[in-house]
Amino acid sequence: MNKPFVAILMGSDSDLPVMEAAFEVLKGLAIPFEAKVTSAHRTPKATHDYVVDADRRGCAVFICAAGMAAHLAGAVAATTLKPVVGVPINSSLDGLDALLSTVQMPAGIPVASVAIGKAGAKNAAYLAAQIIGIADSQLHQKLIEERAAAAAAVVAKDAALQKQLAG
Ligand code: RP5
């Protein structure tokens, strides 16, 4: 069986600088992914056809990034039963328009919305990793180790601050 992969969809290439943060997280965890510029509004049929095909080929999680009236994650969620994570992009109105468009899905068609911008892009990738990690103990272990390293980094930063304050 093919390794499950993550599909990252972006409404525009203008979303790419933010979504590169998700690429880095997935690369670091050795999770295969595809990335595609495709729009719910400008290329609705191509978006639909890609999602159906990716689903059939073993896509485990879809990550969808869009700004403004951000319908990409919702349109993808309407097409697949795989988990869909939505990343609101700050293209206008500080990203609030995209956040509300992404998060306010009607009941029955869920989108897991993360934060606006780069933190959201990273968390979308981690969430996808956690979902895949349910059935992949090696990946799950990697996530445990990453969290431990992140905690150790905070402890080290605090130790440096305490040293500085002590003069
Ligand atoms: C959305 O509209 C895209 O996801 C992008 O964030 C925003 C603006 O798109 P461009 O005009 O930069 O192509 O669909």
Side-chain angles (χ1 to χ4, degrees), residues 58-145:
C59 175
V61 181
F62 290 89
I63 294 175
C64 302
M68 304 187 80
H71 291 140
L72 186 57
V76 171
T79 309
T80 180
L81 281 172
K82 301 285 173 55
V84 176
V85 184
V87 183
I89 300 288
N90 179 4
S91 298
S92 58
L93 305 178
D94 287 337
L96 257 188
D97 45 358
L99 173 65
L100 294 177
S101 301
T102 304
V103 77
Q104 286 292 68
M105 286 297 293
I109 312 291
V111 166
S113 180
V114 289
I116 299 166
K118 269 196 184 165
K122 286 184 190 174
N123 275 347
Y126 281 119
L127 193 51
Q130 289 175 215
I131 291 166
I132 295 171
I134 291 170
D136 179 338
S137 56
Q138 254 186 329
L139 176 57
H140 184 75
Q141 185 56 36
K142 267 192 211 168
L143 290 167
I144 290 173
E145 285 161 17

Side-chain angles (χ1 to χ4, degrees), residues 40-51:
H41 301 124
R42 292 166 175 158
T43 59
K45 184 168 182 324
T47 300
H48 175 271
D49 292 350
Y50 172 75
V51 173

Side-chain angles (χ1 to χ4, degrees), residues 148-159:
V154 173
V155 171
K157 283 175 189 173
D158 180 59

Side-chain angles (χ1 to χ4, degrees), residues 6-10 15-35 62-65 85 87 89 114 117-129 146:
V6 175
I8 301 179
L9 281 62
M10 288 162 272
D15 303 327
L16 184 58
V18 172
M19 293 313 294
E20 278 168 344
F23 298 2
E24 290 314 310
V25 171
L26 294 175
K27 278 184 202 161
L29 293 166
I31 297 174
F33 67 93
E34 298 178 359
F62 290 89
I63 294 175
C64 302
V85 184
V87 183
I89 300 288
V114 289
K118 269 196 184 165
K122 286 184 190 174
N123 275 347
Y126 281 119
L127 193 51
E146 272 222 13

